């Protein structure tokens, strides 16, 4: 596609529910990144994929968070048993390869009631 | 641990003025530094990228400088316009992190008064 696409754009859910966020990177981009942006905070790195592999999962805040990427393209970020502190904007970015400039999607705004 | 700080957190200036946004980082061993723009409800748009060997980059009315030794970068916006209103983020890529992570500041919210 022309840019990085994320869905849904907004998600409101109850505490304790599981949520799945989707990212469609730019076609041909092998590197994919997930970030979290909380109110008043900077962007927090979550996880990085090179192809379908995630060599760096160090940013995932807890074992409730997981991510996968299939076919070297679409990625999903799953949050299990959501908590109110998970409320944030989740941004996805892709790049041609590791180290190249990243292109960002518009994010998914997640609100946990 | 690399930390990126942006001051001020918010700035309002009249249209037409020139302005400077500041970014500082604690570890001078960076691979590059990037300035982004973020509009409300949107993702990030890359404005300028300065490699560690460079001292400045220019694009239109924007000029970014880098002083690695002092851990500072500035983004200069000339002849500001209301359309420049946005949050400006500074980020560094740390070579020790295998270049996979970008470390962001919290941003400066810029409002240009018409």
């Amino acid at each position: 596609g022309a840019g990085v696409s994320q869905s849904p754009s907004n998600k409101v859910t109850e505490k304790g529910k599981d949520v799945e966020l989707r990212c469609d990177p730019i076609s041909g981009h092998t590197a994919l990144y997930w970030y979290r942006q909380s109110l008043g905070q900077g962007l927090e790195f979550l996880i990085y994929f090179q192809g379908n592999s995630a060599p760096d999962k160090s940013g995932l805040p807890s074992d409730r968070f997981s991510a996968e990427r299939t076919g070297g393209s679409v990625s999903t970020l799953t949050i299990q048993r959501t908590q109110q502190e998970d409320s944030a904007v989740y941004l996805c970015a892709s790049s041609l390869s590791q180290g190249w400039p990243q292109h960002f999607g518009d994010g998914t705004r997640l609100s946990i009631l | 641990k690399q930390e990126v700080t942006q001051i001020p957190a918010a700035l309002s200036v009249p249209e037409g003025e020139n302005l400077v946004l500041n970014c500082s980082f604690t570890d001078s061993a960076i691979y590059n530094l990037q300035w982004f723009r973020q509009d409300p409800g949107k993702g990030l748009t890359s404005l300028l990228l300065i490699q560690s060997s460079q001292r400045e980059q220019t694009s239109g009315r924007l000029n970014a400088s880098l002083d690695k030794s002092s851990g500072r970068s500035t983004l200069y916006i000339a002849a500001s316009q209301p359309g420049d209103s946005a949050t400006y983020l500074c980020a560094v890529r740390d070579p020790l992190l295998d270049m996979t992570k970008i470390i962001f500041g919290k941003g400066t919210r810029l409002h240009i008064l018409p």
Side-chain angles (χ1 to χ4, degrees):
Chain A
V4 178
S5 178
Q6 291 187 246
S7 61
S9 55
N10 287 281
K11 177 72 176 179
V12 180
T13 192
E14 295 178 346
K15 176 182 172 182
K17 301 285 188 182
D18 297 350
V19 295
E20 194 172 274
L21 312 179
R22 177 187 169 107
C23 173
D24 279 280
I26 292 173
S27 178
H29 280 195
T30 63
L32 186 147
Y33 308 76
W34 283 98
Y35 295 88
R36 179 168 70 175
Q37 188 174 33
S38 303
L39 189 64
Q41 302 296 317
L43 268 76
E44 175 188 9
F45 169 84
L46 297 179
I47 190 169
Y48 154 71
F49 286 92
Q50 180 61 42
N52 293 334
S53 301
D56 189 351
K57 301 180 182 179
S58 61
L60 293 176
S62 77
D63 58 8
R64 296 185 296 105
F65 287 72
S66 63
E68 65 175 14
R69 189 180 186 194
T70 56
S73 182
V74 173
S75 176
T76 55
L77 177 69
T78 301
I79 309 173
Q80 297 178 308
R81 305 181 303 282
T82 52
Q83 304 293 316
Q84 287 188 331
E85 61 263 27
D86 299 334
S87 297
V89 176
Y90 290 82
L91 290 164
C92 174
S94 71
S95 65
L96 196 59
S97 185
Q98 173 187 329
W100 284 73
Q102 298 178 9
H103 300 262
F104 283 78
D106 286 343
T108 293
R109 183 175 301 277
L110 177 64
S111 299
I112 309 299
L113 302 178
Chain B
K1 179 184 173 184
Q2 179 72 273
E3 293 183 1
V4 180
T5 303
Q6 292 186 246
I7 296 174
L11 181 64
S12 294
V13 298
E15 179 180 3
E17 284 197 5
N18 304 325
L19 59 100
V20 174
L21 306 181
N22 297 294
C23 171
S24 62
F25 45 96
T26 55
D27 188 342
S28 62
I30 63 170
Y31 183 75
N32 61 36
L33 183 144
Q34 203 163 358
W35 283 92
F36 293 87
R37 169 186 173 137
Q38 185 175 30
D39 292 284
K42 299 293 185 181
L44 278 65
T45 301
S46 179
L47 297 174
L48 291 164
L49 185 149
I50 311 176
Q51 300 294 348
S52 62
S53 59
Q54 297 175 324
R55 294 192 65 88
E56 67 175 344
Q57 282 286 331
T58 298
S59 176
R61 293 183 295 107
L62 305 179
N63 175 278
S65 68
L66 173 64
D67 184 344
K68 273 183 54 178
S69 60
S70 65
R72 293 180 182 176
S73 176
T74 60
L75 178 66
Y76 176 83
I77 302 177
S80 58
Q81 302 171 358
D84 295 331
S85 298
T87 296
Y88 290 80
L89 294 156
C90 164
V92 299
R93 192 184 292 270
D94 190 330
L96 295 180
L97 296 176
D98 198 25
M99 297 193 295
T100 62
K101 294 181 190 176
I102 299 180
I103 302 163
F104 286 85
K106 294 183 180 180
T108 294
R109 291 191 315 280
L110 177 64
H111 182 48
I112 305 300
L113 305 168

